[in-house]
Amino acid sequence: MSTHLRDDEMTAAVAGLELGDEAREHLASCVACRQEAAALAALIAERRADLEMREPAWDELAAAVAARLPAPGRPSARRGGRWLRPALALAATVLIAVAATVLRPDWPAPPAAVEPSVEEILAEMNELLADDRIPGFEVIDPGIGVVDVAVDNGAS
């Protein structure tokens, strides 16, 4: 074999898998390939050791989670909390509405409607009753502006 081991052959050698006859002979005779295989195996072993050291303590985590859960017979601290916030919001709204009604400044009273006196009302009624014109005839004959002109011909 004139070249060194390919990547897949090197990986198989480090993993302890079966190599072909030619690759096995080359690995036995080539110092560079043996050093590369040894370095790769050392790197893998180092990474395994790092991962094992960083593995969380699952038992401690499970105990911490279990401690935070309520016991089966113990009432939960959030019991009734589902309705507490909406009830407080409603109470605050009612309180604000009552305070705005009770504590509001005195609004100026609306202006009183000025009622005309009885004399003014009677004078206006007399004026309306004194008008003998028939409404609407002014459009037909604009000369009939005054009832006296139309009624003056009483002899007819």
Side-chain angles (χ1 to χ4, degrees), residues 61-143:
L61 289 173
V65 169
R68 293 177 60 191
L69 294 175
R74 191 176 71 189
S76 174
R78 294 187 58 102
R79 190 175 204 179
R82 172 189 279 172
W83 302 106
L84 184 62
R85 283 188 180 164
L88 288 176
L90 178 64
T93 304
V94 169
L95 181 66
I96 290 171
V98 169
T101 303
V102 171
L103 300 176
R104 72 173 188 198
D106 291 334
W107 298 103
V114 179
E115 290 191 26
S117 65
V118 175
E119 290 80 20
E120 291 174 344
I121 294 173
L122 290 176
E124 187 176 338
M125 290 304 294
N126 284 338
E127 191 176 311
L128 287 173
L129 291 174
D131 187 8
D132 289 337
R133 292 179 293 173
I134 301 173
F137 280 97
E138 296 87 15
V139 175
I140 298 171
D141 187 7

Side-chain angles (χ1 to χ4, degrees), residues 30-101:
C30 181
V31 176
C33 286
R34 280 194 310 257
Q35 287 177 344
E36 187 178 346
L40 186 58
L43 177 66
I44 290 172
E46 184 181 326
R47 289 298 299 142
R48 271 194 188 134
D50 284 348
L51 290 174
E52 288 173 359
M53 283 180 30
R54 293 183 192 171
E55 184 175 347
W58 295 111
D59 295 334
E60 292 175 17
L61 289 173
V65 169
R68 293 177 60 191
L69 294 175
R74 191 176 71 189
S76 174
R78 294 187 58 102
R79 190 175 204 179
R82 172 189 279 172
W83 302 106
L84 184 62
R85 283 188 180 164
L88 288 176
L90 178 64
T93 304
V94 169
L95 181 66
I96 290 171
V98 169
T101 303

